[in-house]
Amino acid sequence: MQENQTKNNRAIGIFDSGFGGLTVMSAISKLLPKENLIYFGDSAHVPYGSKSKKVVTEFSTDISKFLVKKNVKMIVIACNTASAYSLKTLKKVIKVPIIGVIEAGSVVALQNTKNKKVGVIGTEGTVKSNAYAKEIKKHNKKINCFSKACPLFVPLVEEGWNSGKITEDIISVYLKELVDKKIDTIILGCTHYPLLKDTIKKVIGKNINIIDSATAVATAVKNLLEKNNLLKEKGKGRYEFYVSDDPEKFKKLGSKFFNNKINKVTKVEL
Ligand code: DGL
């Protein structure tokens, strides 16, 4: 029993290209407050969204190895681009359970759509990979997926422009073609986009379901830990943050994404 708890006290490793994955970490910390969490933000290499599959997979592999050295009990790829490009490879080379964000978001979209028209927005890499459409079709071939890369959304969020006229106009231009297709559900297929959720809702209206995969991923993490008998049972979770570039910037901006103050961030070289 004691031995089991020691094993279960190991942290959950979470990584992203930068800040965005903190929205996922925040959801996990709310659902599983006892769990210890270790976050890695690859701030030296952000953005992943415009990089090749090969390069994103190399970065993702190095980070996962770092997290395994930290003795994590599982890894969450809290980045859509890295999930789309690298999950398969990582599952082969990393010896702890590992999940991405795409399956969880797809499942929630499937549960929500009535007219079987689902929009997916994300980085160029995520959209190019077609990963959401593939995952959704695996469950239901009759669903029509319409994807759109929205490359300006990440810099808008990083600048803190989450609302206002300019942001609304940009959202409106990007999403018009999806709205015209009469989608009834849209997946926010990028970890930065939850911060734009209210503004997106204002632009596209209340009738389109907005799927923010962070909550869905947190539930998937809980299910995986339960299934493997790995849930931590006692005490409040402790959090560690690592980055590959300027820790000060991460501390300042990261707190906004995490919805909580981040006090200590350590820079590491992989
Ligand atoms: N975290 C990335 C994603 O979810 C967005 C930022 C980036 O391009 O690195 O796809």
Side-chain angles (χ1 to χ4, degrees), residues 48-50 79-81 84 102 119-129 132 146-155 174-175 178 186-193 200:
Y48 281 6
S50 51
C79 170
N80 288 264
T81 314
I102 289 177
V120 179
I121 54 173
T123 64
E124 287 168 290
T126 300
V127 168
K128 205 162 79 190
S129 75
Y132 274 102
F146 305 97
S147 308
K148 176 80 183 166
C150 305
L152 283 180
F153 285 8
V154 168
Y174 274 131
L175 301 194
L178 298 182
I186 188 165
I187 300 175
L188 305 185
C190 171
T191 46
H192 277 62
Y193 297 179
I200 291 175

PDB file of all heavy atoms in Angstrom, residues 48-50 79-81 84 102 119-129 132 146-155 174-175 178 186-193 200:
ATOM      1  N   TYR A  48       5.424  26.232 -32.363  1.00  0.00           N
ATOM      2  CA  TYR A  48       5.511  24.944 -33.051  1.00  0.00           C
ATOM      3  C   TYR A  48       4.616  24.934 -34.296  1.00  0.00           C
ATOM      4  O   TYR A  48       4.858  24.187 -35.233  1.00  0.00           O
ATOM      5  CB  TYR A  48       5.007  23.816 -32.131  1.00  0.00           C
ATOM      6  CG  TYR A  48       5.979  23.321 -31.078  1.00  0.00           C
ATOM      7  CD1 TYR A  48       7.210  23.931 -30.869  1.00  0.00           C
ATOM      8  CD2 TYR A  48       5.651  22.215 -30.296  1.00  0.00           C
ATOM      9  CE1 TYR A  48       8.071  23.456 -29.884  1.00  0.00           C
ATOM     10  CE2 TYR A  48       6.511  21.726 -29.322  1.00  0.00           C
ATOM     11  CZ  TYR A  48       7.714  22.355 -29.118  1.00  0.00           C
ATOM     12  OH  TYR A  48       8.566  21.875 -28.147  1.00  0.00           O
ATOM     13  N   GLY A  49       3.574  25.770 -34.241  1.00  0.00           N
ATOM     14  CA  GLY A  49       2.509  25.724 -35.249  1.00  0.00           C
ATOM     15  C   GLY A  49       2.971  25.889 -36.684  1.00  0.00           C
ATOM     16  O   GLY A  49       2.327  25.413 -37.608  1.00  0.00           O
ATOM     17  N   SER A  50       4.103  26.567 -36.893  1.00  0.00           N
ATOM     18  CA  SER A  50       4.566  26.794 -38.261  1.00  0.00           C
ATOM     19  C   SER A  50       5.789  25.930 -38.587  1.00  0.00           C
ATOM     20  O   SER A  50       6.401  26.075 -39.640  1.00  0.00           O
ATOM     21  CB  SER A  50       4.903  28.280 -38.428  1.00  0.00           C
ATOM     22  OG  SER A  50       5.761  28.678 -37.383  1.00  0.00           O
ATOM     23  N   CYS A  79      -0.338  20.417 -26.167  1.00  0.00           N
ATOM     24  CA  CYS A  79      -0.127  21.251 -27.350  1.00  0.00           C
ATOM     25  C   CYS A  79      -0.747  20.504 -28.529  1.00  0.00           C
ATOM     26  O   CYS A  79      -0.459  19.318 -28.721  1.00  0.00           O
ATOM     27  CB  CYS A  79       1.375  21.447 -27.570  1.00  0.00           C
ATOM     28  SG  CYS A  79       1.797  22.221 -29.145  1.00  0.00           S
ATOM     29  N   ASN A  80      -1.595  21.179 -29.244  1.00  0.00           N
ATOM     30  CA  ASN A  80      -2.284  20.509 -30.357  1.00  0.00           C
ATOM     31  C   ASN A  80      -1.319  20.137 -31.470  1.00  0.00           C
ATOM     32  O   ASN A  80      -1.404  19.049 -32.038  1.00  0.00           O
ATOM     33  CB  ASN A  80      -3.378  21.416 -30.914  1.00  0.00           C
ATOM     34  CG  ASN A  80      -4.555  21.514 -29.969  1.00  0.00           C
ATOM     35  OD1 ASN A  80      -5.531  20.798 -30.123  1.00  0.00           O
ATOM     36  ND2 ASN A  80      -4.457  22.372 -28.973  1.00  0.00           N
ATOM     37  N   THR A  81      -0.405  21.053 -31.797  1.00  0.00           N
ATOM     38  CA  THR A  81       0.518  20.786 -32.901  1.00  0.00           C
ATOM     39  C   THR A  81       1.391  19.572 -32.563  1.00  0.00           C
ATOM     40  O   THR A  81       1.546  18.660 -33.378  1.00  0.00           O
ATOM     41  CB  THR A  81       1.411  22.024 -33.168  1.00  0.00           C
ATOM     42  OG1 THR A  81       0.586  23.187 -33.193  1.00  0.00           O
ATOM     43  CG2 THR A  81       2.163  21.888 -34.471  1.00  0.00           C
ATOM     44  N   ALA A  84      -0.671  16.428 -32.681  1.00  0.00           N
ATOM     45  CA  ALA A  84      -0.969  16.022 -34.065  1.00  0.00           C
ATOM     46  C   ALA A  84       0.244  15.378 -34.726  1.00  0.00           C
ATOM     47  O   ALA A  84       0.135  14.374 -35.424  1.00  0.00           O
ATOM     48  CB  ALA A  84      -1.425  17.234 -34.867  1.00  0.00           C
ATOM     49  N   ILE A 102      -5.867  15.794 -28.756  1.00  0.00           N
ATOM     50  CA  ILE A 102      -6.775  15.718 -29.903  1.00  0.00           C
ATOM     51  C   ILE A 102      -7.917  14.721 -29.707  1.00  0.00           C
ATOM     52  O   ILE A 102      -9.073  15.017 -30.009  1.00  0.00           O
ATOM     53  CB  ILE A 102      -5.958  15.451 -31.175  1.00  0.00           C
ATOM     54  CG1 ILE A 102      -5.184  16.743 -31.464  1.00  0.00           C
ATOM     55  CG2 ILE A 102      -6.850  15.055 -32.365  1.00  0.00           C
ATOM     56  CD1 ILE A 102      -4.252  16.759 -32.587  1.00  0.00           C
ATOM     57  N   GLY A 119     -16.558  22.373 -37.005  1.00  0.00           N
ATOM     58  CA  GLY A 119     -15.440  23.218 -37.410  1.00  0.00           C
ATOM     59  C   GLY A 119     -14.239  22.951 -36.508  1.00  0.00           C
ATOM     60  O   GLY A 119     -14.395  22.641 -35.327  1.00  0.00           O
ATOM     61  N   VAL A 120     -13.041  23.035 -37.081  1.00  0.00           N
ATOM     62  CA  VAL A 120     -11.817  22.866 -36.280  1.00  0.00           C
ATOM     63  C   VAL A 120     -10.905  24.044 -36.583  1.00  0.00           C
ATOM     64  O   VAL A 120     -10.610  24.311 -37.757  1.00  0.00           O
ATOM     65  CB  VAL A 120     -11.067  21.569 -36.664  1.00  0.00           C
ATOM     66  CG1 VAL A 120      -9.794  21.422 -35.834  1.00  0.00           C
ATOM     67  CG2 VAL A 120     -11.949  20.345 -36.500  1.00  0.00           C
ATOM     68  N   ILE A 121     -10.472  24.752 -35.553  1.00  0.00           N
ATOM     69  CA  ILE A 121      -9.495  25.818 -35.792  1.00  0.00           C
ATOM     70  C   ILE A 121      -8.221  25.510 -35.011  1.00  0.00           C
ATOM     71  O   ILE A 121      -8.262  24.914 -33.944  1.00  0.00           O
ATOM     72  CB  ILE A 121     -10.049  27.222 -35.428  1.00  0.00           C
ATOM     73  CG1 ILE A 121     -10.590  27.268 -33.981  1.00  0.00           C
ATOM     74  CG2 ILE A 121     -11.135  27.641 -36.410  1.00  0.00           C
ATOM     75  CD1 ILE A 121     -10.990  28.664 -33.533  1.00  0.00           C
ATOM     76  N   GLY A 122      -7.082  25.886 -35.588  1.00  0.00           N
ATOM     77  CA  GLY A 122      -5.808  25.599 -34.935  1.00  0.00           C
ATOM     78  C   GLY A 122      -4.668  26.264 -35.689  1.00  0.00           C
ATOM     79  O   GLY A 122      -4.885  27.115 -36.561  1.00  0.00           O
ATOM     80  N   THR A 123      -3.464  25.846 -35.367  1.00  0.00           N
ATOM     81  CA  THR A 123      -2.291  26.387 -36.067  1.00  0.00           C
ATOM     82  C   THR A 123      -2.214  25.771 -37.472  1.00  0.00           C
ATOM     83  O   THR A 123      -2.926  24.807 -37.778  1.00  0.00           O
ATOM     84  CB  THR A 123      -0.992  26.028 -35.316  1.00  0.00           C
ATOM     85  OG1 THR A 123      -0.849  24.597 -35.338  1.00  0.00           O
ATOM     86  CG2 THR A 123      -1.007  26.517 -33.880  1.00  0.00           C
ATOM     87  N   GLU A 124      -1.307  26.292 -38.264  1.00  0.00           N
ATOM     88  CA  GLU A 124      -1.135  25.739 -39.619  1.00  0.00           C
ATOM     89  C   GLU A 124      -0.771  24.255 -39.559  1.00  0.00           C
ATOM     90  O   GLU A 124      -1.273  23.445 -40.331  1.00  0.00           O
ATOM     91  CB  GLU A 124      -0.026  26.499 -40.348  1.00  0.00           C
ATOM     92  CG  GLU A 124      -0.449  27.888 -40.771  1.00  0.00           C
ATOM     93  CD  GLU A 124       0.733  28.727 -41.231  1.00  0.00           C
ATOM     94  OE1 GLU A 124       1.558  29.108 -40.369  1.00  0.00           O
ATOM     95  OE2 GLU A 124       0.833  28.984 -42.434  1.00  0.00           O
ATOM     96  N   GLY A 125       0.106  23.909 -38.605  1.00  0.00           N
ATOM     97  CA  GLY A 125       0.557  22.517 -38.467  1.00  0.00           C
ATOM     98  C   GLY A 125      -0.590  21.582 -38.119  1.00  0.00           C
ATOM     99  O   GLY A 125      -0.752  20.519 -38.732  1.00  0.00           O
ATOM    100  N   THR A 126      -1.391  21.974 -37.145  1.00  0.00           N
ATOM    101  CA  THR A 126      -2.512  21.125 -36.715  1.00  0.00           C
ATOM    102  C   THR A 126      -3.509  20.944 -37.854  1.00  0.00           C
ATOM    103  O   THR A 126      -3.973  19.830 -38.122  1.00  0.00           O
ATOM    104  CB  THR A 126      -3.205  21.753 -35.481  1.00  0.00           C
ATOM    105  OG1 THR A 126      -2.240  21.851 -34.443  1.00  0.00           O
ATOM    106  CG2 THR A 126      -4.375  20.915 -35.004  1.00  0.00           C
ATOM    107  N   VAL A 127      -3.821  22.032 -38.531  1.00  0.00           N
ATOM    108  CA  VAL A 127      -4.797  21.946 -39.625  1.00  0.00           C
ATOM    109  C   VAL A 127      -4.229  21.105 -40.771  1.00  0.00           C
ATOM    110  O   VAL A 127      -4.914  20.234 -41.320  1.00  0.00           O
ATOM    111  CB  VAL A 127      -5.218  23.367 -40.082  1.00  0.00           C
ATOM    112  CG1 VAL A 127      -5.984  23.326 -41.398  1.00  0.00           C
ATOM    113  CG2 VAL A 127      -6.071  24.011 -38.985  1.00  0.00           C
ATOM    114  N   LYS A 128      -2.959  21.336 -41.093  1.00  0.00           N
ATOM    115  CA  LYS A 128      -2.333  20.580 -42.191  1.00  0.00           C
ATOM    116  C   LYS A 128      -2.316  19.071 -41.885  1.00  0.00           C
ATOM    117  O   LYS A 128      -2.504  18.239 -42.765  1.00  0.00           O
ATOM    118  CB  LYS A 128      -0.894  21.084 -42.394  1.00  0.00           C
ATOM    119  CG  LYS A 128      -0.380  20.846 -43.794  1.00  0.00           C
ATOM    120  CD  LYS A 128       0.815  21.701 -44.113  1.00  0.00           C
ATOM    121  CE  LYS A 128       2.055  21.079 -43.480  1.00  0.00           C
ATOM    122  NZ  LYS A 128       3.225  21.948 -43.536  1.00  0.00           N
ATOM    123  N   SER A 129      -2.120  18.718 -40.627  1.00  0.00           N
ATOM    124  CA  SER A 129      -2.049  17.293 -40.253  1.00  0.00           C
ATOM    125  C   SER A 129      -3.409  16.593 -40.389  1.00  0.00           C
ATOM    126  O   SER A 129      -3.472  15.368 -40.453  1.00  0.00           O
ATOM    127  CB  SER A 129      -1.589  17.155 -38.802  1.00  0.00           C
ATOM    128  OG  SER A 129      -2.660  17.505 -37.940  1.00  0.00           O
ATOM    129  N   TYR A 132      -7.570  16.166 -36.329  1.00  0.00           N
ATOM    130  CA  TYR A 132      -8.919  16.165 -35.725  1.00  0.00           C
ATOM    131  C   TYR A 132      -9.915  15.431 -36.619  1.00  0.00           C
ATOM    132  O   TYR A 132     -10.693  14.601 -36.146  1.00  0.00           O
ATOM    133  CB  TYR A 132      -9.400  17.592 -35.457  1.00  0.00           C
ATOM    134  CG  TYR A 132      -8.943  18.122 -34.118  1.00  0.00           C
ATOM    135  CD1 TYR A 132      -7.877  19.006 -34.021  1.00  0.00           C
ATOM    136  CD2 TYR A 132      -9.580  17.727 -32.944  1.00  0.00           C
ATOM    137  CE1 TYR A 132      -7.452  19.485 -32.790  1.00  0.00           C
ATOM    138  CE2 TYR A 132      -9.167  18.201 -31.717  1.00  0.00           C
ATOM    139  CZ  TYR A 132      -8.103  19.076 -31.638  1.00  0.00           C
ATOM    140  OH  TYR A 132      -7.684  19.533 -30.412  1.00  0.00           O
ATOM    141  N   PHE A 146     -14.771  20.789 -41.052  1.00  0.00           N
ATOM    142  CA  PHE A 146     -14.272  21.924 -41.828  1.00  0.00           C
ATOM    143  C   PHE A 146     -13.179  22.590 -40.995  1.00  0.00           C
ATOM    144  O   PHE A 146     -13.430  23.012 -39.864  1.00  0.00           O
ATOM    145  CB  PHE A 146     -15.401  22.912 -42.106  1.00  0.00           C
ATOM    146  CG  PHE A 146     -16.584  22.279 -42.781  1.00  0.00           C
ATOM    147  CD1 PHE A 146     -17.686  21.863 -42.041  1.00  0.00           C
ATOM    148  CD2 PHE A 146     -16.581  22.079 -44.155  1.00  0.00           C
ATOM    149  CE1 PHE A 146     -18.773  21.266 -42.658  1.00  0.00           C
ATOM    150  CE2 PHE A 146     -17.666  21.481 -44.787  1.00  0.00           C
ATOM    151  CZ  PHE A 146     -18.768  21.068 -44.033  1.00  0.00           C
ATOM    152  N   SER A 147     -11.963  22.650 -41.549  1.00  0.00           N
ATOM    153  CA  SER A 147     -10.840  23.167 -40.754  1.00  0.00           C
ATOM    154  C   SER A 147     -10.353  24.515 -41.269  1.00  0.00           C
ATOM    155  O   SER A 147     -10.422  24.788 -42.464  1.00  0.00           O
ATOM    156  CB  SER A 147      -9.664  22.195 -40.807  1.00  0.00           C
ATOM    157  OG  SER A 147     -10.092  20.917 -40.466  1.00  0.00           O
ATOM    158  N   LYS A 148      -9.810  25.280 -40.339  1.00  0.00           N
ATOM    159  CA  LYS A 148      -9.286  26.586 -40.726  1.00  0.00           C
ATOM    160  C   LYS A 148      -8.109  26.953 -39.811  1.00  0.00           C
ATOM    161  O   LYS A 148      -8.234  26.951 -38.583  1.00  0.00           O
ATOM    162  CB  LYS A 148     -10.415  27.622 -40.561  1.00  0.00           C
ATOM    163  CG  LYS A 148     -10.017  29.029 -40.833  1.00  0.00           C
ATOM    164  CD  LYS A 148      -9.993  29.328 -42.309  1.00  0.00           C
ATOM    165  CE  LYS A 148      -9.520  30.737 -42.587  1.00  0.00           C
ATOM    166  NZ  LYS A 148      -9.185  30.937 -43.990  1.00  0.00           N
ATOM    167  N   ALA A 149      -6.966  27.222 -40.437  1.00  0.00           N
ATOM    168  CA  ALA A 149      -5.818  27.684 -39.643  1.00  0.00           C
ATOM    169  C   ALA A 149      -6.021  29.163 -39.325  1.00  0.00           C
ATOM    170  O   ALA A 149      -6.441  29.933 -40.188  1.00  0.00           O
ATOM    171  CB  ALA A 149      -4.538  27.488 -40.442  1.00  0.00           C
ATOM    172  N   CYS A 150      -5.723  29.537 -38.088  1.00  0.00           N
ATOM    173  CA  CYS A 150      -5.905  30.937 -37.660  1.00  0.00           C
ATOM    174  C   CYS A 150      -4.586  31.453 -37.070  1.00  0.00           C
ATOM    175  O   CYS A 150      -4.496  31.688 -35.859  1.00  0.00           O
ATOM    176  CB  CYS A 150      -7.014  31.034 -36.623  1.00  0.00           C
ATOM    177  SG  CYS A 150      -8.589  30.338 -37.152  1.00  0.00           S
ATOM    178  N   PRO A 151      -3.559  31.611 -37.897  1.00  0.00           N
ATOM    179  CA  PRO A 151      -2.223  31.918 -37.362  1.00  0.00           C
ATOM    180  C   PRO A 151      -2.113  33.219 -36.575  1.00  0.00           C
ATOM    181  O   PRO A 151      -1.185  33.364 -35.783  1.00  0.00           O
ATOM    182  CB  PRO A 151      -1.328  31.949 -38.618  1.00  0.00           C
ATOM    183  CG  PRO A 151      -2.237  31.963 -39.784  1.00  0.00           C
ATOM    184  CD  PRO A 151      -3.545  31.415 -39.365  1.00  0.00           C
ATOM    185  N   LEU A 152      -3.047  34.145 -36.752  1.00  0.00           N
ATOM    186  CA  LEU A 152      -2.919  35.392 -35.980  1.00  0.00           C
ATOM    187  C   LEU A 152      -3.437  35.266 -34.539  1.00  0.00           C
ATOM    188  O   LEU A 152      -3.174  36.125 -33.705  1.00  0.00           O
ATOM    189  CB  LEU A 152      -3.701  36.523 -36.671  1.00  0.00           C
ATOM    190  CG  LEU A 152      -3.046  37.152 -37.897  1.00  0.00           C
ATOM    191  CD1 LEU A 152      -3.938  38.246 -38.468  1.00  0.00           C
ATOM    192  CD2 LEU A 152      -1.684  37.757 -37.551  1.00  0.00           C
ATOM    193  N   PHE A 153      -4.147  34.184 -34.241  1.00  0.00           N
ATOM    194  CA  PHE A 153      -4.740  34.080 -32.898  1.00  0.00           C
ATOM    195  C   PHE A 153      -3.669  33.942 -31.792  1.00  0.00           C
ATOM    196  O   PHE A 153      -3.820  34.501 -30.716  1.00  0.00           O
ATOM    197  CB  PHE A 153      -5.695  32.885 -32.810  1.00  0.00           C
ATOM    198  CG  PHE A 153      -7.028  33.081 -33.492  1.00  0.00           C
ATOM    199  CD1 PHE A 153      -7.275  34.197 -34.274  1.00  0.00           C
ATOM    200  CD2 PHE A 153      -8.040  32.139 -33.360  1.00  0.00           C
ATOM    201  CE1 PHE A 153      -8.505  34.383 -34.915  1.00  0.00           C
ATOM    202  CE2 PHE A 153      -9.273  32.311 -33.981  1.00  0.00           C
ATOM    203  CZ  PHE A 153      -9.501  33.427 -34.761  1.00  0.00           C
ATOM    204  N   VAL A 154      -2.604  33.169 -32.081  1.00  0.00           N
ATOM    205  CA  VAL A 154      -1.580  32.963 -31.036  1.00  0.00           C
ATOM    206  C   VAL A 154      -0.908  34.294 -30.659  1.00  0.00           C
ATOM    207  O   VAL A 154      -0.875  34.670 -29.479  1.00  0.00           O
ATOM    208  CB  VAL A 154      -0.555  31.872 -31.440  1.00  0.00           C
ATOM    209  CG1 VAL A 154       0.651  31.883 -30.512  1.00  0.00           C
ATOM    210  CG2 VAL A 154      -1.219  30.497 -31.411  1.00  0.00           C
ATOM    211  N   PRO A 155      -0.394  35.063 -31.650  1.00  0.00           N
ATOM    212  CA  PRO A 155       0.196  36.353 -31.251  1.00  0.00           C
ATOM    213  C   PRO A 155      -0.788  37.303 -30.582  1.00  0.00           C
ATOM    214  O   PRO A 155      -0.414  38.043 -29.664  1.00  0.00           O
ATOM    215  CB  PRO A 155       0.735  36.946 -32.564  1.00  0.00           C
ATOM    216  CG  PRO A 155       0.329  36.037 -33.649  1.00  0.00           C
ATOM    217  CD  PRO A 155      -0.121  34.745 -33.061  1.00  0.00           C
ATOM    218  N   TYR A 174     -11.552  35.215 -40.065  1.00  0.00           N
ATOM    219  CA  TYR A 174     -11.105  33.813 -40.087  1.00  0.00           C
ATOM    220  C   TYR A 174     -12.289  32.826 -40.052  1.00  0.00           C
ATOM    221  O   TYR A 174     -12.271  31.812 -40.720  1.00  0.00           O
ATOM    222  CB  TYR A 174     -10.218  33.512 -38.880  1.00  0.00           C
ATOM    223  CG  TYR A 174      -8.749  33.841 -39.059  1.00  0.00           C
ATOM    224  CD1 TYR A 174      -8.063  34.585 -38.098  1.00  0.00           C
ATOM    225  CD2 TYR A 174      -8.021  33.384 -40.165  1.00  0.00           C
ATOM    226  CE1 TYR A 174      -6.715  34.888 -38.234  1.00  0.00           C
ATOM    227  CE2 TYR A 174      -6.679  33.680 -40.306  1.00  0.00           C
ATOM    228  CZ  TYR A 174      -6.025  34.431 -39.343  1.00  0.00           C
ATOM    229  OH  TYR A 174      -4.700  34.705 -39.484  1.00  0.00           O
ATOM    230  N   LEU A 175     -13.289  33.137 -39.235  1.00  0.00           N
ATOM    231  CA  LEU A 175     -14.322  32.121 -38.986  1.00  0.00           C
ATOM    232  C   LEU A 175     -15.525  32.194 -39.918  1.00  0.00           C
ATOM    233  O   LEU A 175     -16.378  31.299 -39.899  1.00  0.00           O
ATOM    234  CB  LEU A 175     -14.783  32.174 -37.523  1.00  0.00           C
ATOM    235  CG  LEU A 175     -13.679  31.953 -36.479  1.00  0.00           C
ATOM    236  CD1 LEU A 175     -14.282  31.675 -35.121  1.00  0.00           C
ATOM    237  CD2 LEU A 175     -12.758  30.800 -36.870  1.00  0.00           C
ATOM    238  N   LEU A 178     -16.378  29.082 -41.900  1.00  0.00           N
ATOM    239  CA  LEU A 178     -16.909  27.964 -41.112  1.00  0.00           C
ATOM    240  C   LEU A 178     -18.369  28.229 -40.745  1.00  0.00           C
ATOM    241  O   LEU A 178     -19.216  27.336 -40.820  1.00  0.00           O
ATOM    242  CB  LEU A 178     -16.082  27.754 -39.832  1.00  0.00           C
ATOM    243  CG  LEU A 178     -14.605  27.386 -40.011  1.00  0.00           C
ATOM    244  CD1 LEU A 178     -13.960  27.161 -38.654  1.00  0.00           C
ATOM    245  CD2 LEU A 178     -14.451  26.138 -40.866  1.00  0.00           C
ATOM    246  N   ILE A 186     -17.676  23.932 -32.784  1.00  0.00           N
ATOM    247  CA  ILE A 186     -16.328  24.314 -33.215  1.00  0.00           C
ATOM    248  C   ILE A 186     -15.321  23.882 -32.147  1.00  0.00           C
ATOM    249  O   ILE A 186     -15.541  24.089 -30.949  1.00  0.00           O
ATOM    250  CB  ILE A 186     -16.232  25.830 -33.518  1.00  0.00           C
ATOM    251  CG1 ILE A 186     -14.879  26.169 -34.149  1.00  0.00           C
ATOM    252  CG2 ILE A 186     -16.460  26.691 -32.290  1.00  0.00           C
ATOM    253  CD1 ILE A 186     -14.835  27.536 -34.811  1.00  0.00           C
ATOM    254  N   ILE A 187     -14.238  23.236 -32.586  1.00  0.00           N
ATOM    255  CA  ILE A 187     -13.194  22.801 -31.649  1.00  0.00           C
ATOM    256  C   ILE A 187     -12.089  23.853 -31.623  1.00  0.00           C
ATOM    257  O   ILE A 187     -11.552  24.222 -32.677  1.00  0.00           O
ATOM    258  CB  ILE A 187     -12.578  21.451 -32.093  1.00  0.00           C
ATOM    259  CG1 ILE A 187     -13.660  20.369 -32.152  1.00  0.00           C
ATOM    260  CG2 ILE A 187     -11.440  21.043 -31.167  1.00  0.00           C
ATOM    261  CD1 ILE A 187     -13.153  19.028 -32.702  1.00  0.00           C
ATOM    262  N   LEU A 188     -11.761  24.311 -30.429  1.00  0.00           N
ATOM    263  CA  LEU A 188     -10.617  25.219 -30.285  1.00  0.00           C
ATOM    264  C   LEU A 188      -9.365  24.336 -30.272  1.00  0.00           C
ATOM    265  O   LEU A 188      -8.924  23.888 -29.216  1.00  0.00           O
ATOM    266  CB  LEU A 188     -10.725  26.040 -28.998  1.00  0.00           C
ATOM    267  CG  LEU A 188     -12.015  26.848 -28.788  1.00  0.00           C
ATOM    268  CD1 LEU A 188     -11.926  27.705 -27.530  1.00  0.00           C
ATOM    269  CD2 LEU A 188     -12.311  27.734 -29.990  1.00  0.00           C
ATOM    270  N   GLY A 189      -8.826  24.080 -31.445  1.00  0.00           N
ATOM    271  CA  GLY A 189      -7.727  23.113 -31.582  1.00  0.00           C
ATOM    272  C   GLY A 189      -6.356  23.719 -31.372  1.00  0.00           C
ATOM    273  O   GLY A 189      -5.409  23.398 -32.101  1.00  0.00           O
ATOM    274  N   CYS A 190      -6.233  24.579 -30.402  1.00  0.00           N
ATOM    275  CA  CYS A 190      -4.940  25.185 -30.066  1.00  0.00           C
ATOM    276  C   CYS A 190      -5.041  25.630 -28.621  1.00  0.00           C
ATOM    277  O   CYS A 190      -6.073  26.192 -28.208  1.00  0.00           O
ATOM    278  CB  CYS A 190      -4.678  26.388 -30.971  1.00  0.00           C
ATOM    279  SG  CYS A 190      -3.249  27.352 -30.465  1.00  0.00           S
ATOM    280  N   THR A 191      -3.989  25.368 -27.861  1.00  0.00           N
ATOM    281  CA  THR A 191      -4.086  25.618 -26.414  1.00  0.00           C
ATOM    282  C   THR A 191      -4.130  27.114 -26.049  1.00  0.00           C
ATOM    283  O   THR A 191      -4.428  27.450 -24.908  1.00  0.00           O
ATOM    284  CB  THR A 191      -2.912  24.935 -25.686  1.00  0.00           C
ATOM    285  OG1 THR A 191      -1.713  25.223 -26.402  1.00  0.00           O
ATOM    286  CG2 THR A 191      -3.125  23.448 -25.611  1.00  0.00           C
ATOM    287  N   HIS A 192      -3.842  27.996 -27.005  1.00  0.00           N
ATOM    288  CA  HIS A 192      -3.976  29.427 -26.717  1.00  0.00           C
ATOM    289  C   HIS A 192      -5.428  29.905 -26.820  1.00  0.00           C
ATOM    290  O   HIS A 192      -5.795  30.902 -26.222  1.00  0.00           O
ATOM    291  CB  HIS A 192      -3.163  30.252 -27.728  1.00  0.00           C
ATOM    292  CG  HIS A 192      -1.717  30.384 -27.411  1.00  0.00           C
ATOM    293  ND1 HIS A 192      -0.882  29.304 -27.345  1.00  0.00           N
ATOM    294  CD2 HIS A 192      -0.950  31.481 -27.154  1.00  0.00           C
ATOM    295  CE1 HIS A 192       0.343  29.734 -27.068  1.00  0.00           C
ATOM    296  NE2 HIS A 192       0.329  31.042 -26.940  1.00  0.00           N
ATOM    297  N   TYR A 193      -6.215  29.201 -27.616  1.00  0.00           N
ATOM    298  CA  TYR A 193      -7.520  29.736 -27.984  1.00  0.00           C
ATOM    299  C   TYR A 193      -8.550  29.820 -26.847  1.00  0.00           C
ATOM    300  O   TYR A 193      -9.455  30.651 -26.937  1.00  0.00           O
ATOM    301  CB  TYR A 193      -8.125  28.941 -29.159  1.00  0.00           C
ATOM    302  CG  TYR A 193      -7.342  28.988 -30.456  1.00  0.00           C
ATOM    303  CD1 TYR A 193      -7.787  28.287 -31.582  1.00  0.00           C
ATOM    304  CD2 TYR A 193      -6.164  29.722 -30.588  1.00  0.00           C
ATOM    305  CE1 TYR A 193      -7.079  28.307 -32.782  1.00  0.00           C
ATOM    306  CE2 TYR A 193      -5.447  29.737 -31.772  1.00  0.00           C
ATOM    307  CZ  TYR A 193      -5.905  29.025 -32.868  1.00  0.00           C
ATOM    308  OH  TYR A 193      -5.202  29.043 -34.050  1.00  0.00           O
ATOM    309  N   ILE A 200     -14.773  34.796 -29.211  1.00  0.00           N
ATOM    310  CA  ILE A 200     -15.226  33.942 -30.321  1.00  0.00           C
ATOM    311  C   ILE A 200     -16.746  33.757 -30.219  1.00  0.00           C
ATOM    312  O   ILE A 200     -17.475  33.888 -31.202  1.00  0.00           O
ATOM    313  CB  ILE A 200     -14.480  32.584 -30.315  1.00  0.00           C
ATOM    314  CG1 ILE A 200     -13.006  32.792 -30.681  1.00  0.00           C
ATOM    315  CG2 ILE A 200     -15.140  31.593 -31.281  1.00  0.00           C
ATOM    316  CD1 ILE A 200     -12.139  31.544 -30.599  1.00  0.00           C
TER     317      ILE A 200
END
